[in-house]
Every structure is written in structure tokens, then in C-alpha cells.
Amino acid sequence: KIKFKDRFYFMKIENLLDNNIYQDLRVNFPDERYFNQHDEFAKTLHDESENFNEFIKNNQSWDKFINTLKSKQFKNSLINFFDIKNIYVDNSWKKFLPFFKKAKMSFCFNISEKGGYSLPHTDSSRKLLSMVFFFVDDAWNEKNGGQVFLYKPIDPKYERNWRNKRIDKEYLEKIETVIPSPNKIYAFKKSKNSYHSVEPVTGYNQLKRKVLMINLIYENKNDSPYNEKISIIKKIKNKII
């Protein structure tokens, strides 16, 4: 079921995986020693780090799961389901078309402790699709915080925010709440107005908010819209080359 097609193309699934598979992944969720230091939102373990590759190499269950998500079949199913235009994955004849850009999967484990939060934003313009898969404890409930809020701007002047500028909640209207629970995933497309935030984690019962972020992104950073580090003329030149 798709909601808010005009800004999110939002969907969520309860009990995504077979319970035995999910429990195996959750029990083997990466140890905190692999993670970077906690910022205002979370400790992170990104797939560009050596620690991520070391963890995957030493964990058969996660290696199998991540490789399934990297498969060409899965990536193309995401592109078709979410109706994402002008991109291709892996080797494709579309790479010869000037308006098509290559996309890839990106992964990041997050652990949010007490106080961890994220202010309303629309995501980096490099991102095409965001998926968040929860690995929280069975006892997690609303007292633990960490809810995801989706918004639409009250004032139309905030509708165009490709550059991911933070906007105060007073200028936004909440339209959806996602409460973390085990084996739940939600997803949405990056757009000019895909405002969302994460409420502070309370630390109730000393529980931590554990998730796997699964993103479809432009493979080449310079393909990102509104990339201020490269001019439009240079983008055209690079594409021609």
C-alpha cells in the first residue's frame, strides 16, 4: 500500500522476513565495537568502512542477506515498484543514454542511544530511496521514543527543499507516525518535500534503537542534483566523456 505519492511514495511492511531468519539476523546484529562514535543521531557502521566489510565477511547470515539486497533483480524491482525515473543499475544499455545515471545500493547499521534524534529534513540529494529495517528489542514501545514522523509544510514556500535544509517543526504538519517494532521496514522516495524526523530515544529500560538503513543512491556523487561542488557545465562534460 502506497501513501503520499505526491511527496513520499511511502510504504511499510510488518513482519518482513520469516521469523527464524529475522531472529538469526537480530542475534547477530553487529557488535558496538565495529561502530563509529555516537553523534546527535546514532553510532554508525557504513558499508564504505573496513569494519563493515570485516563484519560481513565473518557473518554468514548477514553476508547472504546483504548480497540478496545487492542483486540486480532486487534493485530493478525497487526501481519499478517506486517508479524511479532515468536511472539504471549494474551493466545496462541505458548507460549510453545521456539522461540515465547509474545507481547502487548503500547500507548503514545505526544504534541510537538515549537522546539520539534527527531533526526534520528531506535527505541528501544523492539519495533516491530510503528504507529503514528495525532490529529493536521485542519490549520496545512508545515509551522508548525513536518514532519517525513524516511531514508536509504548512507554508508552500517550504515545498522545494532538494538541498536538504533543516526546517523547524513549527513550519510543518505531521501526517504519519512510524513506531519502531521488530521485523518492520518502511520506505520512501527522496523528493523535494520528503520531510521526516526521528524523535529522541528515551533510554527506557536501557533499550537502544537498532536499525539497518538500506538506500538506493546515485553511484557517482557528482550525479547528485544540486551538487554545489561541481558546475552544470562540468557535469555535461563528464557525461559526454
Side-chain angles (χ1 to χ4, degrees):
K1 183 179 179 180
I2 302 297
K3 300 177 70 174
F4 316 119
K5 288 187 177 182
D6 60 330
R7 60 187 66 246
F8 286 106
Y9 224 86
F10 171 83
M11 57 83 73
K12 66 178 177 180
I13 300 174
E14 309 277 354
N15 301 315
L16 176 70
L17 298 179
D18 172 87
N19 187 58
N20 290 332
I21 295 174
Y22 176 77
Q23 295 296 343
D24 184 29
L25 291 172
R26 187 169 65 169
V27 167
N28 289 288
F29 195 87
D31 188 89
E32 291 190 42
R33 63 186 173 88
Y34 288 105
F35 288 73
N36 291 332
Q37 189 172 357
H38 202 294
D39 60 17
E40 67 179 22
F41 176 53
K43 293 181 179 178
T44 58
L45 176 60
H46 199 276
D47 62 357
E48 294 181 349
S49 72
E50 292 183 8
N51 282 352
F52 184 97
N53 295 327
E54 179 187 346
F55 168 73
I56 295 300
K57 182 178 66 176
N58 294 325
N59 193 289
Q60 185 176 2
S61 299
W62 275 105
D63 182 55
K64 182 178 179 180
F65 183 57
I66 293 293
N67 281 323
T68 300
L69 300 179
K70 285 182 176 179
S71 68
K72 186 173 183 178
Q73 180 183 4
F74 182 71
K75 286 182 281 192
N76 280 324
S77 70
L78 291 177
I79 292 169
N80 293 330
F81 182 82
F82 287 95
D83 193 28
I84 304 174
K85 306 294 187 184
N86 301 328
I87 65 167
Y88 68 93
V89 294
D90 302 309
N91 290 320
S92 169
W93 58 270
K94 293 179 181 179
K95 67 182 179 181
F96 299 110
L97 301 178
F99 296 106
F100 276 82
K101 299 175 181 179
K102 192 173 184 180
K104 70 172 185 176
M105 301 302 293
S106 172
F107 305 95
C108 184
F109 291 102
N110 281 346
I111 298 179
S112 296
E113 301 176 343
K114 182 178 180 180
Y117 72 99
S118 179
L119 294 173
H121 59 287
T122 60
D123 278 344
S124 163
S125 63
R126 187 183 181 187
K127 195 178 292 186
L128 294 155
L129 177 66
S130 295
M131 294 169 280
V132 178
F133 191 13
F134 290 109
F135 287 89
V136 294
D137 190 276
D138 289 339
W140 191 280
N141 58 51
E142 290 187 57
K143 293 181 179 179
N144 294 100
Q147 300 94 331
V148 179
F149 290 162
L150 307 185
Y151 306 91
K152 67 177 182 179
I154 297 171
D155 189 328
K157 73 179 182 180
Y158 294 115
E159 285 287 356
R160 293 189 61 84
N161 187 10
W162 278 108
R163 286 192 171 94
N164 195 27
K165 181 181 178 182
R166 264 47 175 180
I167 302 296
D168 196 276
K169 289 182 181 180
E170 67 177 295
Y171 302 112
L172 303 170
E173 175 188 349
K174 184 172 64 177
I175 58 176
E176 182 78 11
T177 300
V178 182
I179 298 174
S181 63
N183 209 3
K184 176 191 285 185
I185 193 169
Y186 73 90
F188 62 88
K189 284 167 50 170
K190 154 70 180 179
S191 75
K192 65 183 180 182
N193 50 23
S194 52
Y195 289 99
H196 58 286
S197 69
V198 178
E199 291 297 287
V201 173
T202 66
Y204 180 70
N205 283 343
Q206 299 183 327
L207 296 183
K208 299 178 181 180
R209 186 182 188 270
K210 298 181 179 182
V211 306
L212 172 66
M213 300 182 68
I214 308 163
N215 301 315
L216 185 68
I217 66 173
Y218 290 109
E219 182 170 292
N220 185 344
K221 292 180 181 180
N222 293 333
D223 283 336
S224 304
Y226 300 97
N227 186 331
E228 297 177 354
K229 295 181 180 180
I230 182 170
S231 69
I232 186 66
I233 295 175
K234 191 171 182 180
K235 282 186 179 182
I236 294 172
K237 181 181 177 182
N238 289 344
K239 190 66 178 180
I240 292 171
I241 293 172

